[in-house]
Amino acid sequence: PADTHTTNFWEELASVELSSSADEMDTGTIAAKKYLWVQAYVKGSGAQDNTSFRFNGDTGNNYAWRDSKNGASDTTVVNYNYLRATMADRTNSFTNTFIVNNSANEKLLISHAVKFSTAGAGTAPERNEMVGKWANTSAQITQIKYIQFGSGDMGAGSILKVWGHD
């Protein structure tokens, strides 16, 4: 209560909003920061599938994650070419992700997502928890692509925001 500082811990590094449907949102080059906070709001469109991260244009099998949907048993995926953020979205979703972004260490992430499965108060929203890593020990994340797989798209009005701090 006695804290009187006026500066924010987080500095906004990127803000992307889709003006039309697309398969990805790309931050472009962002400043390298020790900590990253990524938020994504996706308007589901069509048969949109899993949303995923890729860092610095890396499409190699350098990602691994463990996730759970609605508290079910964990699914573990290793040696993959992206890092899944949410499972089979097809509806609007919101994802909150925190990343430790030290250049000499693998980048560790923790992510929580929520989406509605059926409109109205009679159905609880779904949740997805994910922990993951990008096995790069020579660079910090300086570009984030948020990608969807499937025949649909992320709808117009979908938003990707990234904040950072050292």
Side-chain angles (χ1 to χ4, degrees), residues 82-121:
Y82 62 76
L83 185 64
R84 182 163 49 202
T86 62
M87 302 162 118
D89 292 318
R90 291 184 183 79
T91 61
N92 298 348
S93 66
F94 177 72
T95 304
N96 230 347
T97 304
F98 293 93
I99 305 171
V100 177
N101 192 27
N102 294 322
S103 61
N105 301 101
E106 294 180 333
K107 309 324 168 257
L108 299 176
L109 298 86
I110 187 167
S111 185
H112 292 89
V114 62
K115 64 181 179 169
F116 76 85
S117 56
T118 304

Side-chain angles (χ1 to χ4, degrees), residues 22-34:
D23 284 333
E24 73 177 40
M25 291 186 280
D26 186 345
T27 63
T29 302
I30 59 174
K33 298 289 183 179
K34 185 175 179 180

Side-chain angles (χ1 to χ4, degrees), residues 7-17 27-33 35-39 144 159-166:
T7 58
N8 190 341
F9 180 84
W10 297 105
E11 171 190 352
E12 186 175 299
L13 304 177
S15 182
V16 178
E17 182 172 352
T27 63
T29 302
I30 59 174
K33 298 289 183 179
Y35 304 102
L36 297 174
W37 173 22
V38 182
Q39 288 187 321
I144 299 172
I159 299 169
L160 177 66
K161 286 194 174 268
V162 180
W163 291 269
H165 184 77
D166 281 326

Side-chain angles (χ1 to χ4, degrees), residues 75-86:
T75 300
T76 303
V77 178
V78 298
N79 298 317
Y80 220 71
N81 65 1
Y82 62 76
L83 185 64
R84 182 163 49 202
T86 62

